[in-house]
Short mmCIF file of all heavy atoms in Angstrom, two decimals:
data_model
loop_
_atom_site.label_atom_id
_atom_site.label_comp_id
_atom_site.label_asym_id
_atom_site.label_seq_id
_atom_site.Cartn_x
_atom_site.Cartn_y
_atom_site.Cartn_z
N HIS B 945 -171.56 85.19 59.72
CA HIS B 945 -172.54 85.14 60.81
C HIS B 945 -172.12 86.11 61.91
O HIS B 945 -171.02 86.01 62.45
CB HIS B 945 -172.65 83.72 61.38
CG HIS B 945 -173.68 83.61 62.46
ND1 HIS B 945 -175.03 83.68 62.22
CD2 HIS B 945 -173.54 83.45 63.81
CE1 HIS B 945 -175.69 83.56 63.35
NE2 HIS B 945 -174.80 83.43 64.33
N GLU B 946 -172.98 87.07 62.18
CA GLU B 946 -172.71 88.06 63.22
C GLU B 946 -172.97 87.42 64.58
O GLU B 946 -174.09 86.98 64.87
CB GLU B 946 -173.64 89.27 63.02
CG GLU B 946 -173.30 90.44 63.90
CD GLU B 946 -172.27 91.37 63.29
OE1 GLU B 946 -172.01 91.27 62.08
OE2 GLU B 946 -171.72 92.19 64.03
N GLU B 947 -171.94 87.36 65.41
CA GLU B 947 -172.08 86.72 66.72
C GLU B 947 -173.12 87.46 67.56
O GLU B 947 -173.12 88.68 67.65
CB GLU B 947 -170.73 86.72 67.45
CG GLU B 947 -170.75 85.90 68.73
CD GLU B 947 -169.36 85.76 69.33
OE1 GLU B 947 -168.38 86.12 68.65
OE2 GLU B 947 -169.27 85.31 70.48
N GLY B 948 -174.04 86.69 68.14
CA GLY B 948 -175.10 87.28 68.95
C GLY B 948 -176.36 87.59 68.18
O GLY B 948 -177.38 87.95 68.78
N LEU B 949 -176.30 87.47 66.85
CA LEU B 949 -177.48 87.71 66.01
C LEU B 949 -177.83 86.44 65.26
O LEU B 949 -176.95 85.73 64.78
CB LEU B 949 -177.22 88.85 65.01
CG LEU B 949 -176.97 90.25 65.59
CD1 LEU B 949 -176.68 91.21 64.46
CD2 LEU B 949 -178.17 90.73 66.41
N ASP B 950 -179.11 86.18 65.17
CA ASP B 950 -179.56 85.00 64.44
C ASP B 950 -179.76 85.37 62.97
O ASP B 950 -180.87 85.29 62.44
CB ASP B 950 -180.86 84.48 65.06
CG ASP B 950 -181.29 83.16 64.46
OD1 ASP B 950 -180.42 82.47 63.87
OD2 ASP B 950 -182.49 82.82 64.55
N GLU B 951 -178.68 85.79 62.34
CA GLU B 951 -178.77 86.25 60.96
C GLU B 951 -177.43 86.07 60.27
O GLU B 951 -176.37 86.29 60.87
CB GLU B 951 -179.21 87.71 60.91
CG GLU B 951 -179.56 88.19 59.52
CD GLU B 951 -180.33 89.50 59.55
OE1 GLU B 951 -180.49 90.09 60.64
OE2 GLU B 951 -180.78 89.93 58.48
N THR B 952 -177.48 85.66 59.00
CA THR B 952 -176.27 85.51 58.20
C THR B 952 -176.20 86.63 57.17
O THR B 952 -177.18 86.90 56.46
CB THR B 952 -176.26 84.15 57.48
OG1 THR B 952 -176.27 83.10 58.46
CG2 THR B 952 -175.01 84.00 56.61
N PHE B 953 -175.04 87.29 57.11
CA PHE B 953 -174.84 88.39 56.17
C PHE B 953 -173.97 87.92 55.00
O PHE B 953 -173.29 86.89 55.08
CB PHE B 953 -174.16 89.57 56.87
CG PHE B 953 -174.98 90.18 57.97
CD1 PHE B 953 -174.91 89.69 59.26
CD2 PHE B 953 -175.81 91.25 57.71
CE1 PHE B 953 -175.66 90.25 60.28
CE2 PHE B 953 -176.58 91.82 58.71
CZ PHE B 953 -176.49 91.32 60.01
N HIS B 954 -174.00 88.71 53.94
CA HIS B 954 -173.11 88.45 52.81
C HIS B 954 -172.10 89.59 52.73
O HIS B 954 -172.48 90.76 52.72
CB HIS B 954 -173.92 88.35 51.51
CG HIS B 954 -174.86 87.20 51.50
ND1 HIS B 954 -174.47 85.91 51.22
CD2 HIS B 954 -176.19 87.13 51.79
CE1 HIS B 954 -175.50 85.10 51.30
NE2 HIS B 954 -176.55 85.81 51.65
N VAL B 955 -170.81 89.21 52.73
CA VAL B 955 -169.76 90.22 52.84
C VAL B 955 -168.70 90.01 51.76
O VAL B 955 -168.60 88.94 51.15
CB VAL B 955 -169.09 90.17 54.24
CG1 VAL B 955 -170.13 90.41 55.33
CG2 VAL B 955 -168.38 88.83 54.47
N PHE B 956 -167.93 91.09 51.55
CA PHE B 956 -166.75 91.04 50.68
C PHE B 956 -165.51 91.02 51.57
O PHE B 956 -165.44 91.72 52.58
CB PHE B 956 -166.69 92.27 49.78
CG PHE B 956 -167.91 92.46 48.92
CD1 PHE B 956 -168.72 93.58 49.09
CD2 PHE B 956 -168.23 91.55 47.92
CE1 PHE B 956 -169.82 93.78 48.29
CE2 PHE B 956 -169.34 91.74 47.11
CZ PHE B 956 -170.14 92.86 47.30
N GLU B 957 -164.51 90.25 51.16
CA GLU B 957 -163.25 90.18 51.89
C GLU B 957 -162.08 90.24 50.92
O GLU B 957 -162.24 89.97 49.72
CB GLU B 957 -163.18 88.88 52.71
CG GLU B 957 -164.25 88.76 53.79
CD GLU B 957 -164.19 87.43 54.52
OE1 GLU B 957 -163.64 86.46 53.93
OE2 GLU B 957 -164.68 87.34 55.66
N GLY B 958 -160.90 90.59 51.46
CA GLY B 958 -159.69 90.59 50.64
C GLY B 958 -159.70 91.68 49.59
O GLY B 958 -159.90 92.86 49.89
N THR B 959 -159.46 91.30 48.34
CA THR B 959 -159.50 92.24 47.22
C THR B 959 -160.84 92.13 46.53
O THR B 959 -161.26 91.04 46.13
CB THR B 959 -158.36 91.95 46.23
OG1 THR B 959 -157.10 92.09 46.89
CG2 THR B 959 -158.41 92.91 45.05
N VAL B 960 -161.53 93.24 46.41
CA VAL B 960 -162.89 93.28 45.87
C VAL B 960 -162.89 94.15 44.62
O VAL B 960 -162.44 95.30 44.68
CB VAL B 960 -163.89 93.84 46.91
CG1 VAL B 960 -165.31 93.83 46.34
CG2 VAL B 960 -163.80 93.06 48.22
N LYS B 961 -163.38 93.63 43.52
CA LYS B 961 -163.43 94.41 42.27
C LYS B 961 -164.88 94.51 41.80
O LYS B 961 -165.54 93.51 41.53
CB LYS B 961 -162.57 93.77 41.19
CG LYS B 961 -162.59 94.55 39.86
CD LYS B 961 -161.75 93.87 38.80
CE LYS B 961 -160.27 94.04 39.07
NZ LYS B 961 -159.45 93.53 37.92
N ILE B 962 -165.36 95.74 41.69
CA ILE B 962 -166.71 96.03 41.19
C ILE B 962 -166.58 96.63 39.80
O ILE B 962 -165.79 97.57 39.60
CB ILE B 962 -167.45 96.99 42.13
CG1 ILE B 962 -167.58 96.35 43.53
CG2 ILE B 962 -168.83 97.34 41.59
CD1 ILE B 962 -168.08 97.31 44.59
N ALA B 963 -167.33 96.10 38.84
CA ALA B 963 -167.22 96.54 37.44
C ALA B 963 -168.47 97.32 37.04
O ALA B 963 -169.59 96.89 37.33
CB ALA B 963 -167.02 95.34 36.53
N ILE B 964 -168.26 98.44 36.35
CA ILE B 964 -169.36 99.27 35.87
C ILE B 964 -169.18 99.50 34.38
O ILE B 964 -168.18 100.12 33.96
CB ILE B 964 -169.42 100.63 36.61
CG1 ILE B 964 -169.52 100.44 38.12
CG2 ILE B 964 -170.60 101.45 36.12
CD1 ILE B 964 -168.20 100.54 38.84
N PRO B 965 -170.11 99.03 33.52
CA PRO B 965 -169.99 99.30 32.09
C PRO B 965 -170.26 100.78 31.79
O PRO B 965 -171.17 101.38 32.36
CB PRO B 965 -171.09 98.42 31.47
CG PRO B 965 -171.53 97.50 32.55
CD PRO B 965 -171.26 98.19 33.85
N VAL B 966 -169.46 101.36 30.91
CA VAL B 966 -169.66 102.74 30.49
C VAL B 966 -169.59 102.80 28.96
O VAL B 966 -168.79 102.10 28.34
CB VAL B 966 -168.61 103.69 31.12
CG1 VAL B 966 -168.85 103.84 32.61
CG2 VAL B 966 -167.18 103.19 30.88
N TYR B 967 -170.46 103.63 28.36
CA TYR B 967 -170.56 103.72 26.91
C TYR B 967 -170.43 105.19 26.49
O TYR B 967 -171.17 106.04 26.98
CB TYR B 967 -171.90 103.19 26.40
CG TYR B 967 -172.32 101.86 26.98
CD1 TYR B 967 -173.22 101.82 28.05
CD2 TYR B 967 -171.83 100.66 26.48
CE1 TYR B 967 -173.61 100.60 28.60
CE2 TYR B 967 -172.23 99.45 27.02
CZ TYR B 967 -173.11 99.43 28.07
OH TYR B 967 -173.51 98.23 28.61
N TYR B 968 -169.53 105.46 25.55
CA TYR B 968 -169.42 106.80 24.98
C TYR B 968 -170.35 106.87 23.78
O TYR B 968 -170.17 106.15 22.80
CB TYR B 968 -167.98 107.10 24.58
CG TYR B 968 -167.77 108.53 24.13
CD1 TYR B 968 -167.86 109.57 25.05
CD2 TYR B 968 -167.50 108.83 22.80
CE1 TYR B 968 -167.68 110.89 24.65
CE2 TYR B 968 -167.31 110.15 22.40
CZ TYR B 968 -167.40 111.16 23.34
OH TYR B 968 -167.24 112.47 22.93
N VAL B 969 -171.39 107.73 23.85
CA VAL B 969 -172.45 107.71 22.85
C VAL B 969 -172.50 108.97 21.99
O VAL B 969 -173.41 109.13 21.18
CB VAL B 969 -173.83 107.52 23.54
CG1 VAL B 969 -173.91 106.16 24.21
CG2 VAL B 969 -174.10 108.63 24.54
N GLN B 970 -171.53 109.84 22.15
CA GLN B 970 -171.51 111.06 21.32
C GLN B 970 -170.65 110.82 20.09
O GLN B 970 -169.44 110.60 20.19
CB GLN B 970 -170.95 112.24 22.12
CG GLN B 970 -170.93 113.54 21.32
CD GLN B 970 -170.61 114.73 22.21
OE1 GLN B 970 -171.36 115.05 23.12
NE2 GLN B 970 -169.48 115.37 21.94
N GLU B 971 -171.29 110.87 18.92
CA GLU B 971 -170.57 110.57 17.69
C GLU B 971 -169.50 111.62 17.40
O GLU B 971 -169.73 112.82 17.56
CB GLU B 971 -171.55 110.50 16.51
CG GLU B 971 -170.89 110.02 15.23
CD GLU B 971 -171.88 109.80 14.11
OE1 GLU B 971 -173.05 110.19 14.28
OE2 GLU B 971 -171.48 109.26 13.07
N ASP B 972 -168.35 111.16 16.99
CA ASP B 972 -167.24 112.04 16.67
C ASP B 972 -167.62 112.93 15.47
O ASP B 972 -168.25 112.49 14.51
CB ASP B 972 -166.00 111.21 16.32
CG ASP B 972 -164.81 112.07 15.98
OD1 ASP B 972 -164.24 112.67 16.89
OD2 ASP B 972 -164.48 112.15 14.77
N PHE B 973 -167.23 114.21 15.53
CA PHE B 973 -167.60 115.18 14.49
C PHE B 973 -167.07 114.76 13.12
O PHE B 973 -167.78 114.85 12.11
CB PHE B 973 -167.07 116.56 14.88
CG PHE B 973 -167.44 117.65 13.92
CD1 PHE B 973 -168.71 118.21 13.95
CD2 PHE B 973 -166.53 118.13 12.99
CE1 PHE B 973 -169.06 119.20 13.05
CE2 PHE B 973 -166.87 119.12 12.10
CZ PHE B 973 -168.14 119.68 12.14
N GLU B 974 -165.83 114.30 13.06
CA GLU B 974 -165.26 113.89 11.78
C GLU B 974 -166.00 112.69 11.21
O GLU B 974 -166.16 112.54 10.00
CB GLU B 974 -163.77 113.56 11.96
CG GLU B 974 -162.92 114.73 12.43
CD GLU B 974 -162.93 115.88 11.42
OE1 GLU B 974 -163.14 115.62 10.22
OE2 GLU B 974 -162.71 117.04 11.83
N HIS B 975 -166.45 111.82 12.11
CA HIS B 975 -167.21 110.65 11.68
C HIS B 975 -168.54 111.08 11.04
O HIS B 975 -168.96 110.56 10.01
CB HIS B 975 -167.45 109.75 12.89
CG HIS B 975 -168.00 108.40 12.54
ND1 HIS B 975 -169.34 108.10 12.65
CD2 HIS B 975 -167.40 107.28 12.09
CE1 HIS B 975 -169.54 106.85 12.29
NE2 HIS B 975 -168.39 106.32 11.94
N MET B 976 -169.20 112.07 11.65
CA MET B 976 -170.46 112.57 11.09
C MET B 976 -170.23 113.23 9.74
O MET B 976 -171.02 113.07 8.81
CB MET B 976 -171.11 113.55 12.07
CG MET B 976 -171.71 112.88 13.30
SD MET B 976 -172.74 114.02 14.26
CE MET B 976 -171.48 115.11 14.92
N LEU B 977 -169.15 114.01 9.63
CA LEU B 977 -168.85 114.67 8.35
C LEU B 977 -168.60 113.64 7.25
O LEU B 977 -169.05 113.81 6.11
CB LEU B 977 -167.61 115.56 8.50
CG LEU B 977 -167.82 116.97 9.04
CD1 LEU B 977 -166.52 117.74 9.00
CD2 LEU B 977 -168.89 117.71 8.24
N ALA B 978 -167.89 112.57 7.58
CA ALA B 978 -167.60 111.54 6.59
C ALA B 978 -168.89 110.89 6.10
O ALA B 978 -169.05 110.61 4.90
CB ALA B 978 -166.66 110.50 7.17
N ARG B 979 -169.82 110.66 7.00
CA ARG B 979 -171.09 110.07 6.60
C ARG B 979 -171.90 111.05 5.73
O ARG B 979 -172.57 110.66 4.79
CB ARG B 979 -171.90 109.65 7.83
CG ARG B 979 -171.28 108.47 8.57
CD ARG B 979 -172.26 107.74 9.46
NE ARG B 979 -172.75 108.59 10.54
CZ ARG B 979 -174.01 108.94 10.69
NH1 ARG B 979 -174.91 108.58 9.78
NH2 ARG B 979 -174.39 109.68 11.71
N ALA B 980 -171.83 112.35 6.09
CA ALA B 980 -172.54 113.36 5.29
C ALA B 980 -171.95 113.46 3.89
O ALA B 980 -172.69 113.60 2.89
CB ALA B 980 -172.49 114.71 5.99
N ARG B 981 -170.63 113.40 3.78
CA ARG B 981 -170.00 113.46 2.44
C ARG B 981 -170.41 112.25 1.60
O ARG B 981 -170.64 112.37 0.39
CB ARG B 981 -168.47 113.52 2.59
CG ARG B 981 -167.94 114.79 3.24
CD ARG B 981 -166.42 114.85 3.15
NE ARG B 981 -165.88 115.91 3.97
CZ ARG B 981 -165.30 115.70 5.17
NH1 ARG B 981 -165.20 114.46 5.64
NH2 ARG B 981 -164.82 116.71 5.85
N PHE B 982 -170.46 111.10 2.26
CA PHE B 982 -170.88 109.89 1.55
C PHE B 982 -172.31 110.05 1.03
O PHE B 982 -172.62 109.71 -0.11
CB PHE B 982 -170.77 108.69 2.49
CG PHE B 982 -171.23 107.39 1.87
CD1 PHE B 982 -170.33 106.57 1.21
CD2 PHE B 982 -172.55 106.98 1.96
CE1 PHE B 982 -170.75 105.37 0.64
CE2 PHE B 982 -172.98 105.80 1.39
CZ PHE B 982 -172.08 104.99 0.73
N LEU B 983 -173.17 110.60 1.89
CA LEU B 983 -174.57 110.81 1.51
C LEU B 983 -174.67 111.79 0.34
O LEU B 983 -175.43 111.56 -0.62
CB LEU B 983 -175.35 111.34 2.71
CG LEU B 983 -176.86 111.49 2.55
CD1 LEU B 983 -177.52 110.15 2.27
CD2 LEU B 983 -177.46 112.14 3.80
N ALA B 984 -173.91 112.89 0.40
CA ALA B 984 -173.94 113.89 -0.68
C ALA B 984 -173.48 113.29 -2.00
O ALA B 984 -174.00 113.63 -3.07
CB ALA B 984 -173.08 115.09 -0.30
N LYS B 985 -172.54 112.38 -1.94
CA LYS B 985 -171.99 111.77 -3.15
C LYS B 985 -173.01 110.87 -3.84
O LYS B 985 -173.00 110.72 -5.07
CB LYS B 985 -170.73 110.98 -2.79
CG LYS B 985 -170.03 110.32 -3.96
CD LYS B 985 -168.78 109.61 -3.49
CE LYS B 985 -168.08 108.91 -4.66
NZ LYS B 985 -166.87 108.19 -4.19
N HIS B 986 -173.89 110.26 -3.06
CA HIS B 986 -174.80 109.26 -3.63
C HIS B 986 -176.23 109.77 -3.80
O HIS B 986 -177.06 109.08 -4.38
CB HIS B 986 -174.80 108.01 -2.74
CG HIS B 986 -173.52 107.24 -2.81
ND1 HIS B 986 -172.40 107.59 -2.08
CD2 HIS B 986 -173.17 106.14 -3.54
CE1 HIS B 986 -171.42 106.73 -2.35
NE2 HIS B 986 -171.87 105.85 -3.22
N LEU B 987 -176.52 110.97 -3.29
CA LEU B 987 -177.85 111.53 -3.50
C LEU B 987 -177.95 112.21 -4.87
O LEU B 987 -176.95 112.67 -5.42
CB LEU B 987 -178.16 112.57 -2.41
CG LEU B 987 -178.60 112.05 -1.04
CD1 LEU B 987 -178.77 113.24 -0.08
CD2 LEU B 987 -179.91 111.28 -1.13
N GLU B 988 -179.16 112.28 -5.38
CA GLU B 988 -179.40 113.05 -6.59
C GLU B 988 -179.71 114.49 -6.21
O GLU B 988 -180.04 114.80 -5.07
CB GLU B 988 -180.58 112.43 -7.37
CG GLU B 988 -180.30 111.02 -7.88
CD GLU B 988 -181.46 110.46 -8.67
OE1 GLU B 988 -182.50 111.15 -8.76
OE2 GLU B 988 -181.33 109.33 -9.19
N GLN B 989 -179.59 115.38 -7.19
CA GLN B 989 -179.96 116.78 -6.96
C GLN B 989 -181.48 116.89 -6.81
O GLN B 989 -182.21 116.10 -7.41
CB GLN B 989 -179.46 117.65 -8.13
CG GLN B 989 -177.97 117.77 -8.24
CD GLN B 989 -177.36 118.53 -7.06
OE1 GLN B 989 -178.07 119.14 -6.26
NE2 GLN B 989 -176.04 118.49 -6.99
N PRO B 990 -182.00 117.84 -6.02
CA PRO B 990 -181.24 118.89 -5.31
C PRO B 990 -180.72 118.46 -3.94
O PRO B 990 -180.03 119.21 -3.27
CB PRO B 990 -182.28 120.01 -5.16
CG PRO B 990 -183.57 119.26 -4.98
CD PRO B 990 -183.46 118.05 -5.88
N GLY B 991 -181.07 117.22 -3.52
CA GLY B 991 -180.67 116.78 -2.19
C GLY B 991 -179.16 116.79 -1.99
O GLY B 991 -178.66 117.21 -0.94
N SER B 992 -178.40 116.38 -3.01
CA SER B 992 -176.95 116.33 -2.89
C SER B 992 -176.37 117.71 -2.65
O SER B 992 -175.48 117.90 -1.81
CB SER B 992 -176.35 115.72 -4.16
OG SER B 992 -174.95 115.74 -4.11
#
């Protein structure tokens, strides 16, 4: 409560930790190659 104001605020005190989720969305090159090799192995010609 701010003295002199008829209003209640919401505050942080002490140690404050804010969390932000982060996602790495770029597929690793070796991972893509492995999937492509798997696909080539199981496709029929001429696709393989």
Side-chain angles (χ1 to χ4, degrees):
H945 182 71
E946 190 88 15
E947 188 172 349
L949 296 178
D950 188 20
E951 190 165 6
T952 299
F953 296 87
H954 296 279
V955 301
F956 303 116
E957 297 177 337
T959 299
V960 182
K961 180 182 286 188
I962 300 170
I964 304 97
V966 290
Y967 313 98
Y968 186 69
V969 296
Q970 181 170 297
E971 187 174 9
D972 180 73
F973 183 78
E974 298 298 334
H975 190 261
M976 287 191 291
L977 276 185
R979 291 200 296 117
R981 294 189 191 102
F982 178 91
L983 186 62
K985 182 178 179 181
H986 290 81
L987 281 176
E988 296 181 357
Q989 293 293 350
S992 176

